[in-house]
């Protein structure tokens, strides 16, 4: 059984990056397995864990195709329609409310 190397917070050697760091460089893991683990200790709880990938094995991010852009636009538009009043709210409706803010809090509307 092979175990992964574990590094403490901010002490990982060069050549390793988290998923977000790879994405900021325009890269993706590209199917490679996790190469190392980064741990940040916390008081009274378990450590925060981040997975590291090797930068030299990372691949470039795939470009967005017109079909992907269209699908993303439809998904975002669907999250802006209120389930109560069926109107476009103009913003992404919070999942915690399940409806637009106007429908969720009708008594707090401003009487201008």
């Amino acid at each position: 059984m092979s175990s992964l190397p574990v590094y403490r917070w901010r002490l990982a050697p060069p050549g390793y990056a988290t998923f977000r760091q790879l994405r900021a460089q325009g890269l993706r893991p590209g199917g490679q397995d996790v190469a190392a683990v980064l741990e940040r200790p916390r008081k009274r709880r378990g450590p925060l864990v981040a997975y590291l990938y090797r930068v030299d094995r990372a691949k470039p991010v795939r470009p967005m195709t017109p079909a992907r852009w269209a699908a993303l636009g439809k998904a975002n538009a669907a999250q802006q329609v209120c389930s109560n009043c069926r109107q476009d709210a103009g913003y992404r409706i919070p999942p915690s409310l399940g409806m637009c803010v106007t429908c969720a809090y009708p008594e707090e509307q401003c009487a201008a």
Side-chain angles (χ1 to χ4, degrees), residues 78-92:
Q79 293 178 349
Q80 293 180 359
V81 176
C82 177
S83 61
N84 191 28
C85 64
R86 303 284 184 214
Q87 293 182 353
D88 187 355
Y91 55 87
R92 185 179 168 276

Side-chain angles (χ1 to χ4, degrees), residues 1 17 23 30 50 56 65 76 106:
M1 177 179 192
R23 188 53 62 127
D56 59 341
T65 63
N76 287 335

Side-chain angles (χ1 to χ4, degrees), residues 17-19 22-23 26-34 52-62:
T18 64
F19 182 84
L22 287 176
R23 188 53 62 127
L27 300 172
R28 61 185 171 95
Q32 65 173 304
D33 292 331
V34 174
L52 299 174
Y53 301 94
R54 292 188 40 182
V55 177
D56 59 341
R57 292 185 182 173
K59 296 180 181 178
V61 175
R62 295 183 193 125

Side-chain angles (χ1 to χ4, degrees), residues 20-78:
R20 288 186 177 196
Q21 290 170 336
L22 287 176
R23 188 53 62 127
Q25 298 174 23
L27 300 172
R28 61 185 171 95
Q32 65 173 304
D33 292 331
V34 174
V37 177
L38 187 67
E39 288 188 350
R40 178 179 180 209
R42 297 189 294 181
K43 293 180 181 179
R44 295 186 212 114
R45 296 189 343 190
L48 288 175
V49 176
Y51 299 109
L52 299 174
Y53 301 94
R54 292 188 40 182
V55 177
D56 59 341
R57 292 185 182 173
K59 296 180 181 178
V61 175
R62 295 183 193 125
M64 286 288 282
T65 63
R68 284 187 179 177
W69 279 114
L72 184 62
K74 287 180 184 177
N76 287 335

